[in-house]
Amino acid sequence: MKRFVTLLLVVALLAAGISTVFAGGGQERQFVRIATAGTGGNMYRIGAGMAAVWNDTIEGVTFSTQSTSGSPHNAELMATGQVEVAFSGADIVDQAYNTSGRFADEEEGKYHNINYLVYVYPNVQALLVHPNAADQIQNEYDLEGKRVSKGLLGSQGEATFFHMAEQLGLDQNSMTLEDTVHGEAIDQMRDNLIDAVYWQDGYGSPSHFEMLEMGAIMRSLHPDAIAALTSGPFHVNEAFTLPGGTYPNTPHDVETVISPIIMTVRADVDEDLVYQMVKALYDNQAALASIAGLIAETLTIDQAGAGMVAPPHPGARRFYEENGISIRW
């Protein structure tokens, strides 16, 4: 009964946004909440792996993951203190921190509690076409009048899609837009309920793989789309050539865009704890790769500092400087 009452207390405290409670004997225990993205995606999977690593290596702290609508949603959760750690596209963090792009109407400084933690992996922008629509869709301009999976409401994928469509002057009202990703989008592709997918996922994405194995075709992005997605509020993105043979049913090179996916941490999280968190990730990279596969292989010390569009947390800065990583903030 005592355990049950304690569990209810912990749940109530977490729901109220309180991240520190006292365990048996008066020992303080912290709770760190990690905002990921939709279930089935890379952020969710590697986030679970990170939580497992941290729970195994850092004493006195319990780490847990939360499914969210993605990067813009995560910025709001960080700004309002509902989570301590969050995944995000670097382009979205850049816009939030500088109150630009989709955050231009927000109060200046609202997102200044968002600090950089680590670079995680590159997100690949994909245009996947159903085989029945292959003759009709060669690039983004052909999406008018089609059924398109654009990503979850409020997600980074949706923000990218809308920016692309606006910059290319596409008639969005002519499209049937589906707020789907991963499993649901895979089912739609299988059942011929969509003509195309236009959302990002990590390098080696299992979701992209599965749709390509069904016969979907990956198209190169139009040069106009690449220009739109690597400039303005998306200037932190990079043009990228996906070598032929990397993905199933894709023997040809694919010209696309990659967005750095980073992990952020609230500025008020304890410096020593953040230092331990960064160190544990790099010390246990092999364990992460065993959980999350190819997507975790880019979380290496030689990539440290990539996608740093907000100030590093003091704990992260200390780790990087001790390891000879230059910090431009």
Side-chain angles (χ1 to χ4, degrees):
M1 182 64 180
K2 182 183 292 185
R3 287 185 179 181
F4 179 69
V5 172
T6 300
L7 177 60
L8 288 179
L9 174 62
V10 169
V11 171
L13 288 169
L14 287 175
I18 298 173
S19 57
T20 302
V21 297
F22 288 89
Q27 182 181 1
E28 187 177 282
R29 171 163 289 274
Q30 288 181 270
F31 289 83
V32 173
R33 299 157 294 185
I34 307 164
T36 59
T39 57
N42 289 301
M43 291 182 188
Y44 189 83
R45 185 167 57 256
I46 197 171
M50 288 177 170
V53 164
W54 286 331
N55 283 324
D56 286 344
T57 58
I58 300 176
E59 295 184 358
V61 185
T62 296
F63 296 84
S64 61
T65 56
Q66 294 185 13
S67 173
T68 73
S69 296
S71 299
H73 184 200
N74 292 353
E76 296 301 327
L77 294 174
M78 292 284 278
T80 54
Q82 297 181 64
V83 297
E84 288 71 44
V85 177
F87 285 88
S88 182
D91 47 6
I92 298 299
V93 174
D94 180 69
Q95 293 173 45
Y97 194 83
N98 294 292
T99 49
S100 62
R102 67 178 291 134
F103 301 93
D105 294 333
E106 298 290 347
E107 181 183 355
E108 186 174 351
K110 175 180 177 180
Y111 304 96
H112 280 186
N113 71 337
I114 297 177
N115 279 185
Y116 178 90
L117 187 68
V118 293
Y119 168 84
V120 189
Y121 61 84
N123 229 19
V124 178
Q125 179 64 51
L127 170 56
L128 302 181
V129 179
H130 193 284
N132 291 349
D135 293 338
Q136 305 166 43
I137 303 175
Q138 299 298 317
N139 57 57
E140 288 89 338
Y141 286 105
D142 299 325
L143 294 177
E144 291 185 331
K146 301 298 190 298
R147 303 166 297 175
V148 183
S149 167
K150 61 155 180 64
L152 296 177
L153 285 170
S155 68
Q156 179 187 13
E158 181 186 67
T160 301
F161 178 86
F162 285 149
H163 179 76
M164 175 279 299
E166 181 180 353
Q167 294 301 303
L168 272 58
L170 303 185
D171 180 7
Q172 298 177 45
N173 292 326
S174 73
M175 306 176 197
T176 300
L177 299 177
E178 299 286 346
D179 309 322
T180 55
V181 289
H182 306 305
E184 192 173 357
I186 290 169
D187 290 342
Q188 289 177 320
M189 182 71 74
R190 179 183 296 110
D191 297 335
N192 194 22
L193 298 176
I194 52 175
D195 301 307
V197 159
Y198 198 88
W199 39 261
Q200 304 154 321
D201 205 12
Y203 190 77
S205 161
S207 295
H208 290 164
F209 263 62
E210 187 166 347
M211 285 184 277
L212 289 164
E213 287 172 341
M214 292 178 195
I217 298 166
M218 180 177 278
R219 298 291 194 206
S220 286
L221 304 191
H222 191 280
D224 294 347
I226 292 176
L229 297 180
T230 54
S231 60
F234 292 87
H235 66 94
V236 299
N237 295 344
E238 299 178 6
F240 179 72
T241 300
L242 186 70
T246 304
Y247 284 11
N249 194 33
T250 313
H252 52 284
D253 288 354
V254 175
E255 302 304 323
T256 184
V257 167
I258 55 173
S259 172
I261 296 300
I262 62 174
M263 180 169 273
T264 61
V265 61
R266 278 208 334 251
D268 59 354
V269 176
D270 179 74
E271 178 179 336
D272 288 337
L273 173 57
V274 172
Y275 179 91
Q276 292 180 67
M277 290 165 63
V278 177
K279 185 177 187 302
L281 292 181
Y282 289 118
D283 287 349
N284 294 275
Q285 195 270 343
L288 282 172
S290 70
I291 296 170
L294 179 66
I295 202 66
E297 295 182 7
T298 54
L299 206 167
T300 57
I301 195 68
D302 62 313
Q303 292 292 325
M308 188 179 290
V309 294
H313 190 282
R317 179 187 292 276
R318 175 152 59 96
F319 176 86
Y320 292 135
E321 290 179 345
E322 286 180 3
N323 287 274
I325 306 299
S326 60
I327 303 297
R328 63 178 178 270
W329 280 81

